Amino acid sequence: MSAQHIKRRISTQESPLVTVTLIAIALVFMALFLVLPLVTVFIEAFAKGWDLYWTALKEPVAWEAIKLTFIAAGIAVPANLVFGVSAAWAIAKFDFKGKSLLITLIDLPFAVSPVVSGLVFVLLFGAQGWFGHWLQAHDIRLIFAVPGIVLATIFVTFPFIARQLIPLMQAQGKEEEEAAVSLGASGWQTFWRVTLPNIKWGLLYGVILCNARAMGEFGAVSVVSGHIRGLTNTMPLHVEILYNEYNFVAAFSVASLLALLAVVTLIVKSTVEWQAKRSGDILH
Amino acid sequence: MSITIQNLNKQFGTYKALDNINLEVNSGELLALLGPSGCGKTSLLRIIGGMELADSGSLLFHGEDIQQRDARERNVGFVFQHYALFRHMTVFENVAFGLRVKPKKERHNEAEIKRRVHELLNLVQLDFLADRYPSQLSGGQRQRIALARALAVEPKILLLDEPFGALDAQVRKELRRWLRRLHNDLHITSIFVTHDQEEALEVADRVVVMNKGKIEQVGTPDEVYATPATPFVYQFIGNVNLFHSRDHAPWSDEHGDAVAYVRPHDIDISRVAQDETALAVEVKLVRAIGSIVRVEVAADGSSEFIEIELSRERFDSSPLLEGDKVFIRPRQFRVFEAEAI
Amino acid sequence: MSRFKAHTVLPGFNLALGFTVLYLSLIVLIPLSSLFFKTAELGFGGFWDVVTSDRVVASLRVTFVTSFIAAGINAFFGIIVAWVLIRYTFPGKRIIDALVDLPFALPTAVAGITLATIYAPNGLIGQYFAAHDIKIAYTPIGIVVALTFIGLPFVVRTVQPVLVDVEAEVEEAAASLGAGRWDVFRRIIFPAIFPAVLAGFAMALARAIGEYGSVIFIAGNMPYISEIAPLLIVAKLEQYDYAGATAIAIAMLVISFALLLFINGLQWWSSRKGGR
């Protein structure tokens, strides 16, 4: 009996033609919508050569934008990290009334348009806002200033870490913590030695996603920034200004840094996913 | 250390988990809390361990009320149902945990910690696994590590929640014997929760049978098996046949509306009526199971089967066939009024 | 026992919950409530005048229609991408899988200027369409392109785990009963993943409706034609018309909430039917 008489395909597989077609459709779709834009960023950035690329990045205004982006993310990520851990601790390790309402409310910023996220802070702290008069009287500027940008960034990245940790910690249960306490560990000892090592991958995952959004946020920050060059411009806002001035090379040069951030984010994210899978954690 | 529990109550919402529990646990004994799921046995264990708070009643360790004391300060070792081993720590670090989190002035130095951990790992015969992670262990090994970890802090009381629940039958049997031997060596007052009667009877010094938040009976394994105090204990421990007085079984007639409880091995079978109280039945099924033979019979016109167990020897001396007409009569039985059931 | 919280030995509940609720209130709840107070200031009549003005209605229509189309495209291609990533092996699969999340990681402004460049009449792809007199950038088609980009991961990521869970045995059983491959997909696999597809569709839709950064560069932003509602909010804000901006925001919130409620209902219905 020669091998070619054996039917090669079992009945739960598609024909090779279908398989190849489906893979081709998927790859073309991905290439068109994902790969091409990513590559284009770098092509456009280097369109006029290295020199112009470096000149665009060495601009003091570009540096100010980079600095402000790091400041905003540097405040928003740790703030939401502390919040995420404490929310997940309360929700996953204890039973209390109103828990599911709390979980829903935490997700709220995801349901709101970035523009509206900026708008609410203008309504609160803007010239005509609730606290507008009081702030003006005390000569405090929140809107069209750095604090507003930080607040808007915190708002849009608010749920990232919490919603990563809550299901993870719920799945892990509280037996290990109870065991630690029964062995004489204090609250902090339990948290640092038992809980934290167990959630480290989920935590890192949340931080990465949170940071990517914090550095890349455009709509909300745009509304509260006032677009003051060198003062209230983050990197994405700086890209917008350069682009609208038809300074495409400079726009794409700054954009290429953000694209690089995205690539690094994806790489770290995949690594963390792989590590988490190895230690049996669930990531969402 | 002895444990005294007085008038203990615990309610979850509208559900009464523990209903006026009174129990005395002697120093150094191995006690089983036995009952079906939801009977309150785990709640009781968790209250003793300080994982839950009772609503009312008192809990004394060696005559001293410890209800105000935190779980950390009770000096109780707790072995969790699913072991709750710290998954990111090696076996060694798991066992060392309780020693490492002690306050600075009570903490041993590293060499002493190392010595003690290895001593404990040797005690549970798993020293060769010190560098492994919990996920690399079998169920039985995890169980023993969990025990070693609980023993590391030198508890005065050891509490075990369904210690063999998650293991397969063979490992279970081995671990039971091992736990019994370990207790004989260490003599720590120990309480374990189980829903498996065989486990309770085989391992424990005394058994507490619980049902619906109440204690049904406290006694040695032999006492709860041979002289069950309540219908529940009769049915929960071992097999039992129920004879309703109004239907058949003239020997229980004198009690009016009552039910007689008879163990399958407490029934005699005879081809002739033993006396006027004997019950005429027909053999419906004969099954030899290892060293015993199980015979199922039914009274004429009744669809209720009565189970009888005979030793193989006894059966072989007068074999029965399905369809034989015989008489049965209990050697031993206990009658409960209908309202007590 | 009618206490607020069940007893446990673990410490830190009051601190953790207290901080959580405080932070949530300060960062999210109080700011969001300002929307409703601001609209109340306007009164219902004023609110209605704003949201029924021609330009606002047109922008809402553009927003919702393009979002719907983009989410639909993502649902269709999302199923194929998820299928290919789960069922087949081919070189570079892991990289492709990781790349699916690019829209989450790439700042929207970068996506916006890049897509605008590619699909402009003189752009890499736009030029071929321009040769046939089709404009993509600076028309509603451009908006759909941008919204397809940012919504791409949702359906793929919700369908993937469900597709893994479809038991091989069920497919084998169907095949042994004589079902062809397409029958198996249509009758066995699709019903199983449909709730997940809907969930992904809803998430992509919600994201698209609120999207701003990636759209404004490619949309052309012509009033009545390619102006999206979030942009109109910004425009009103720049004219210091806070109440008008808020009214549009509320209208968007209400419509998207109603839509999501409807999709959730559909999802509940289909998952009940599918017995999952």
Side-chain angles (χ1 to χ4, degrees), chain C residues 2 56 82 85 134-135 158 203 211-212:
Chain C
S2 59
V56 172
L85 288 175
I134 301 171
K135 264 184 86 176
T158 49
M203 284 190 260
E211 180 55 21
Y212 174 72

Side-chain angles (χ1 to χ4, degrees), chain C residues 14-89:
Chain C
N14 290 337
L15 179 69
L17 188 70
F19 177 71
T20 300
V21 171
L22 178 73
Y23 189 81
L24 176 74
S25 307
L26 286 179
I27 299 291
V28 177
L29 300 183
I30 294 173
L32 276 182
S33 68
S34 69
L35 279 181
F36 292 91
F37 288 106
K38 194 73 195 176
T39 322
E41 233 171 74
L42 203 61
F44 186 75
F47 170 77
W48 195 246
D49 286 345
V50 173
V51 299
T52 52
S53 74
D54 287 349
R55 194 168 163 191
V56 172
V57 170
S59 78
L60 287 171
R61 191 171 53 227
V62 170
T63 300
F64 283 92
V65 169
T66 52
S67 298
F68 227 87
I69 296 172
I73 293 173
N74 276 324
F76 179 76
F77 286 100
I79 294 172
I80 297 178
V81 172
W83 178 272
V84 165
L85 288 175
I86 294 294
R87 294 292 174 109
Y88 305 143
T89 49

Side-chain angles (χ1 to χ4, degrees), chain C residues 151-236:
Chain C
L152 194 145
F154 290 103
V155 174
V156 181
R157 290 302 185 226
T158 49
V159 170
Q160 265 180 327
V162 183
L163 207 50
V164 170
D165 279 349
V166 176
E167 287 171 77
E169 254 182 33
V170 181
E171 284 181 56
E172 284 162 8
S176 76
L177 293 168
R181 224 25 218 155
W182 175 243
D183 284 320
V184 171
F185 180 78
R186 202 165 48 104
R187 292 169 187 275
I188 311 288
I189 299 170
F190 188 72
I193 62 172
F194 186 63
V197 173
L198 264 183
F201 176 84
M203 284 190 260
L205 182 68
R207 175 74 205 266
I209 289 168
E211 180 55 21
Y212 174 72
S214 61
V215 175
I216 55 163
F217 296 100
I218 199 173
N221 306 328
M222 305 215 309
Y224 302 99
I225 297 169
S226 62
E227 186 179 54
I228 54 166
L231 181 68
L232 205 51
I233 295 178
V234 174
K236 296 247 180 221

Side-chain angles (χ1 to χ4, degrees), chain A residues 12 14 30 33 36-37 40-41 80 83 86-87 89 94-95 97 113-114 120 128 154-155 187 218 223 252 269-270, chain C residues 4-6 10-11 13 19-20 23 27 31 37 88 96 98-99 101 114 117-118 125 149 181 210 212-213 237 240:
Chain A
T12 49
E14 293 78 47
M30 297 272 294
F33 277 94
L36 190 62
T40 303
V41 176
N80 286 334
F83 163 74
S86 81
W89 180 263
F94 300 90
D95 286 315
K97 289 176 187 157
S113 169
V120 295
Q128 312 170 25
I154 293 179
F155 182 96
F218 179 75
V223 169
F252 277 102
K269 183 172 162 289
S270 298
Chain C
F4 163 66
K5 151 188 147 322
L10 299 181
F13 175 74
F19 177 71
T20 300
Y23 189 81
I27 299 291
F37 288 106
Y88 305 143
I96 296 287
L99 213 55
D101 287 325
T114 312
T117 306
I118 295 173
I125 294 178
F149 172 83
R181 224 25 218 155
Y212 174 72
L237 270 178
Y240 297 100

Side-chain angles (χ1 to χ4, degrees), chain A residues 9 11-15 18-20 22-23 25-27 29-30 32-38 40-41 44 76 79-80 82-83 86-91 93-98 102 105-106 108-116 118-124 126-131 144 151 154-155 158 174 177-178 181 186-188 190 205 209 212-213 215-220 222-223 227 236-237 239-240 243-244 251-252 254-256 258-259 261-263 265-266 269-270 273-274, chain C residues 2-13 15-17 19-21 23-24 26-35 37-38 41 73-74 76-78 80-81 83-85 87-90 94 96-119 124-125 138 144-146 148-149 152 157 168 171-172 175-176 179 181 206-207 209-214 216-217 230-231 233-234 237-238 240-243 245-246 249 252-253 256 260:
Chain A
R9 188 161 63 90
S11 53
T12 49
Q13 279 177 352
E14 293 78 47
S15 72
V18 174
T19 307
V20 169
L22 285 177
I23 293 179
I25 292 174
L27 289 184
F29 179 69
M30 297 272 294
L32 220 57
F33 277 94
L34 297 180
V35 181
L36 190 62
L38 190 58
T40 303
V41 176
E44 292 289 330
N80 286 334
V82 173
F83 163 74
S86 81
W89 180 263
I91 288 168
K93 304 291 177 189
F94 300 90
D95 286 315
F96 57 92
K97 289 176 187 157
L102 186 61
L105 290 178
I106 288 173
L108 217 48
F110 276 167
V112 176
S113 169
V115 170
V116 178
L119 170 67
V120 295
F121 289 104
V122 175
L123 293 182
L124 281 184
Q128 312 170 25
W130 277 1
F131 303 108
F144 307 140
L151 272 176
I154 293 179
F155 182 96
F158 180 87
K174 52 188 181 191
E177 280 82 6
E178 285 181 345
V181 170
S186 70
W188 282 115
T190 305
Y205 194 82
L209 294 180
R213 181 71 192 266
M215 289 192 162
E217 178 52 28
F218 179 75
S222 168
V223 169
H227 301 277
L237 296 178
V239 168
E240 183 200 18
Y243 185 83
N244 286 343
F252 277 102
V254 180
S256 73
L258 290 167
L261 166 77
V263 172
T265 300
L266 290 185
K269 183 172 162 289
S270 298
E273 271 167 349
W274 181 70
Chain C
S2 59
R3 266 177 300 172
F4 163 66
K5 151 188 147 322
H7 171 81
T8 132
V9 292
L10 299 181
F13 175 74
L15 179 69
L17 188 70
F19 177 71
T20 300
V21 171
Y23 189 81
L24 176 74
L26 286 179
I27 299 291
V28 177
L29 300 183
I30 294 173
L32 276 182
S33 68
S34 69
L35 279 181
F37 288 106
K38 194 73 195 176
E41 233 171 74
I73 293 173
N74 276 324
F76 179 76
F77 286 100
I80 297 178
V81 172
W83 178 272
V84 165
L85 288 175
R87 294 292 174 109
Y88 305 143
T89 49
F90 53 90
R94 276 193 60 182
I96 296 287
D97 197 358
L99 213 55
V100 169
D101 287 325
L102 181 70
F104 288 157
L106 192 71
T108 51
V110 178
I113 62 167
T114 312
L115 291 171
T117 306
I118 295 173
Y119 289 95
L124 205 53
I125 294 178
Y138 320 126
V144 172
V145 169
T148 305
F149 172 83
L152 194 145
R157 290 302 185 226
E171 284 181 56
E172 284 162 8
S176 76
R181 224 25 218 155
R207 175 74 205 266
I209 289 168
E211 180 55 21
Y212 174 72
S214 61
I216 55 163
F217 296 100
L231 181 68
I233 295 178
V234 174
L237 270 178
E238 276 167 4
Y240 297 100
D241 181 5
Y242 288 8
T246 312
M252 275 176 65
L253 281 181
S256 27
L260 292 183

Side-chain angles (χ1 to χ4, degrees), chain B residues 19 22 34 56 79 86 88 91 133 140 143-144 146 154 158 165 213 248-249 251 257 299 328 339:
Chain B
D19 189 359
N22 286 284
L34 173 65
S56 63
V79 178
F86 306 128
H88 63 281
V91 164
Y133 284 89
Q143 172 64 52
R144 287 192 273 169
E154 297 178 330
L158 189 60
H248 41 241
W251 32 267
D257 193 14
I328 60 168
E339 57 263 31

Side-chain angles (χ1 to χ4, degrees), chain A residues 123-140:
Chain A
L123 293 182
L124 281 184
F125 304 121
Q128 312 170 25
W130 277 1
F131 303 108
H133 283 297
W134 187 87
L135 290 171
Q136 255 173 351
H138 292 78
D139 208 18
I140 303 170

